[in-house]
């Protein structure tokens, strides 16, 4: 049976995007990011133009992903959350290729990728299931 951390990574690999949570000007903040898992670390790709990566780099962040928008309770829903130190990264060409094609535009501006890496210290999984009552 996998550990909670192993299950969290397995589930994270099933989705392409998640949200990174940090603090920006002393306020809580969420930003969407594309992720891949490389050697037990979470590599993120974000749009540089927003500057959100600057709030993440050098900070402890939370990163979460889920299947809540794609699965029903009956089929089984899950969320995963990782917490750890986030730093800027320079991925290898092989790591960049794991992300697949980048968007061409974000909010009308040309997409300019920036990469971050999270070294998780905590991983949590939450599952939501719906049990259908037995027929009476």
């Amino acid at each position: 049976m996998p550990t909670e951390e192993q299950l969290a990574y397995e589930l994270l690999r099933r989705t392409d995007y998640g949200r990174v949570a940090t603090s920006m000007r002393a306020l809580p903040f969420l930003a969407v990011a594309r992720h891949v898992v490389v050697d037990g670390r979470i590599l993120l790709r974000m749009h540089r133009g927003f500057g959100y990566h600057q709030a993440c780099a050098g900070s402890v962040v939370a990163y979460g992903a889920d299947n809540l928008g794609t699965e029903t309770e009956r089929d089984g829903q899950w969320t995963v959350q990782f917490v750890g130190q986030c730093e800027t990264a320079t991925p290898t060409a092989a790591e960049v290729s794991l992300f697949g094609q980048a968007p061409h535009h974000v909010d009308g501006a040309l997409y300019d990728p920036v990469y971050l890496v999270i070294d998780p210290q905590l991983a949590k999984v939450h599952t939501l299931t719906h049990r259908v009552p037995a027929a009476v």
Side-chain angles (χ1 to χ4, degrees):
M1 180 159 214
T3 67
E4 183 170 18
E5 181 177 14
Q6 291 168 330
L7 179 58
Y9 280 114
E10 180 184 320
L11 293 171
L12 185 65
R13 286 183 180 99
R14 294 182 188 179
T15 187
D16 293 332
Y17 287 87
R19 290 176 183 82
V20 61
T22 189
S23 174
M24 185 179 244
R25 295 190 224 29
L27 296 172
F29 183 77
L30 287 174
V32 69
R34 172 76 169 93
H35 64 262
V36 295
V37 177
V38 178
D39 296 328
R41 297 168 49 169
I42 303 167
L43 187 58
L44 305 179
R45 181 179 71 191
M46 301 173 72
H47 176 54
R48 182 185 312 271
F50 295 139
Y52 300 156
H53 64 287
Q54 294 171 337
C56 298
S59 298
V60 173
V61 302
Y63 188 75
D66 61 64
N67 72 345
L68 301 177
T70 59
E71 298 296 331
T72 65
E73 283 185 61
R74 173 174 263 152
D75 295 328
Q77 295 172 310
W78 53 263
T79 67
V80 294
Q81 177 175 292
F82 298 84
V83 177
Q85 184 70 30
C86 183
E87 299 294 341
T88 57
T90 304
T92 66
E95 290 169 340
V96 170
S97 72
L98 295 173
F99 286 101
Q101 187 173 359
H104 293 287
H105 293 88
V106 175
D107 293 346
L110 284 175
Y111 185 76
D112 182 15
V114 63
Y115 298 91
L116 301 167
V117 65
I118 301 171
D119 186 13
Q121 303 302 306
L122 172 74
K124 297 298 286 179
V125 175
H126 298 285
T127 57
L128 308 167
T129 56
H130 177 72
R131 292 189 181 199
V132 178
V136 179

